[in-house]
Amino acid sequence: MAPSTAAIPLEARILADQVTALQRTLPSIILGNTLTPLVVLVCVKGLVSTVALGSWFALQMLHSAFNAWAWWLTRHRPAHPRNAPARARAIIVASGLSGLLWAAGLVFLWPPERLDLQILLIFLIGGMTSSAMHALSVLLPAYYAFLVPSVASVVGMSLWAGSVAHLAVAATVLAFGLTSIRFAASLNRTLRDSLRSRYTVAELAADLQLQKERAEAASLDKSRFLAAASHDLRQPVHALSLFLSALRKQPLTVEGERLATHAAHAVETMADLFNSLLDVSRLDAGMVHPERRRFPVAPLLERVAEQEQPSAGAAGLRLRLRLPPQPLWIETDPVLLERVLRNLVSNALRYTDRGTVLIALRRGAGGWVLQVRDSGIGIPPERQADVFQEFVQLHNPERDRNKGLGLGLAIVRRTVELLGLALNLRSAPGRGTVFTLALPVVAPAGAGVTAVEQGPAAPAPDSAPPPGLFVAVIDDDADILAAMEAVLSGWGCKVLTAGDVAELLAGLLLEPATPELLISDFRLREGASGLDAVARLRDEYNQDIPAILITGDTAPERLVEAQASGLLLLHKPVATEDLRVAIAQALAQGRRADTEEAEEAAAAAEAAL
């Protein structure tokens, strides 16, 4: 198995890159080592020993041919840390041989009486040395292996000639050689520093990517854990809520009624916490779609202030509302805006011990803004970004559930991002907190524009189910089945319960009537779902039996799947009044579907006539 990049020493990777870079320049080096000997051959032919000249030229061509063959074998095979040292040694040897060949050429081909040809040979070797510096300084030992014998031969032959001109040449070439050594070392150092920096940046990027993947995996694990924990915790809370509802319809003593009321309040508190988790999951799943409308914002603010007054009074706080004299119209989703405002006001009331919480609509530097200002304990500057994270409560180390779950501001952040609004936080310890939300102000609604002055539409009437309604209930939790049977029977329904669709169909074989309503848990045994159960029952009776799905699952993909079904969806724990409303809605949808189907059949029959 090949070692990972992180396990390979940095110097080994740098050497591999140096060798690879040098391999790319080999064709130019080979070309120079082929053409320059031809120039020498032409210039000194007939002036020196033919044998010496021919032998030297043949060795140069042989050396160039060998180098060309070696390059051809490795042209598509970049060096890697394992073979780079061997390739580097081969290049150093080849460069040394080339330097020795040029040194030998100068010694054996030196024309004693022709100063011009001597200068030409020195010039050619100097040119080769200069060119080699740019090509071979990538691998410094290779350049030194070529430079030293070349320069030494020129200096030696110039000193041997002994004239003043030759001594000047020797001094100049020696200075050139020393300068070339320093310059090549500088080039090599720059290259190695560049490679080292590149690998350092690459390692930092890889480490950053690894940390990002770990963070994403941790976040995914957290989401999975929360989804599983939420589902498992919702099951008994859902059953408890239904049992309490059935219990409170029974004759109770005064003390029993008091205890039942406290128990119901505890269940309601747990339901609120679970619903906060559900809101986060729905936002993360992309299931919340803004419905932007044009409406006056004042009635929405007045409604929230009025409804939050009891909470403020119970905490000994003043809740004030400040509005401009003129009506202000905005265009956004009123339901989501109201949810944001309620969360901000609840957060302000929760963390203010005394004083005032103010809801104000005022003109800011960039337009109209909505502010929620409190005189509470404040937030340190370094922790202000943290308060928008899930489960962060700076001033609740004991995790008092009366102070919430730490999801309100996380929901606010997600919602304002969904609405495309800007939210600003200004706070200081002991001096309170101000949340400022920029509002998309528009002209008042005119002809053809529907103004929406109210918040969420009122729920459907909570009329009791028709007496004797035949309801089939599927859930893999025995306690929930017992609780559902107790509640539905208390409403006068006929109830058949089952743990899965097969058990339900077996029970229906003994029933002469067709179920008029199916209530199914979304997640059933052995990977089955309530969608499968609804489809199976409708197929069995060949009619669209009204159906309701109930789920304790908050995983985003599950929520999307359930919503896509088009069935009514309730989230555990389900309040009995919500269940009653959902039953009325499901039956009304069923009646509308039957009416439309009958009208379509009548129209088809009339068309056939």
Side-chain angles (χ1 to χ4, degrees), residues 472 474 501 504-505 508 514-520 530-549 562 564-569 585-591 593-594 597:
I474 304 177
V501 69
L504 177 65
L505 291 174
L508 287 173
T514 299
E516 299 170 89
L517 177 68
L518 174 63
I519 301 175
S520 177
L531 298 176
D532 301 328
V534 172
R536 178 76 183 278
L537 193 65
R538 287 177 171 179
D539 184 64
E540 190 72 23
Y541 287 93
N542 196 28
Q543 67 181 79
D544 287 339
I545 299 172
I548 298 172
L549 290 178
S565 69
L567 299 176
L568 285 175
L569 180 65
Q585 290 176 339
L587 295 177
Q589 287 180 2
R591 287 192 294 270
D594 291 342
E597 185 177 350

Side-chain angles (χ1 to χ4, degrees), residues 347-354 356-357 372-387 392-397 403 409 425-435:
N347 186 76
L349 294 174
R350 188 174 294 124
Y351 292 104
T352 303
D353 295 329
R354 61 182 181 276
T356 302
V357 173
V372 177
R373 180 189 300 266
D374 65 60
S375 57
I377 52 183
I379 307 168
E382 67 274 8
R383 299 301 306 277
Q384 290 180 9
D386 298 340
V387 299
V392 172
Q393 292 180 295
L394 302 185
H395 305 291
N396 186 20
K403 294 183 179 179
L409 293 181
L425 165 62
R426 188 175 73 253
S427 183
R431 301 182 61 182
T433 300
V434 181
F435 287 95

Side-chain angles (χ1 to χ4, degrees), residues 456-520:
D462 55 349
S463 56
L469 179 71
F470 186 11
V471 184
V473 181
I474 304 177
D475 201 297
D476 54 7
D477 189 297
D479 288 338
I480 291 177
L481 288 180
M484 288 289 288
E485 184 171 13
V487 170
L488 293 171
S489 297
W491 292 344
C493 298
K494 178 182 177 181
V495 185
L496 178 63
T497 62
D500 56 36
V501 69
E503 183 182 338
L504 177 65
L505 291 174
L508 287 173
L509 290 175
L510 305 177
E511 296 288 342
T514 299
E516 299 170 89
L517 177 68
L518 174 63
I519 301 175
S520 177

Side-chain angles (χ1 to χ4, degrees), residues 40 68 164 230 278 280 431 449 554-555 606:
V40 174
V164 175
S230 174
L278 178 63
V280 172
R431 301 182 61 182
V449 179
T554 58
E606 184 177 349

Side-chain angles (χ1 to χ4, degrees), residues 394-433:
L394 302 185
H395 305 291
N396 186 20
E398 70 279 8
R399 303 304 294 179
D400 180 3
R401 289 280 64 79
N402 290 325
K403 294 183 179 179
L405 190 63
L407 288 173
L409 293 181
I411 293 172
V412 166
R413 176 177 62 83
R414 286 169 166 82
T415 306
V416 296
E417 288 176 356
L418 184 66
L419 292 174
L421 304 179
L423 179 67
N424 177 261
L425 165 62
R426 188 175 73 253
S427 183
R431 301 182 61 182
T433 300

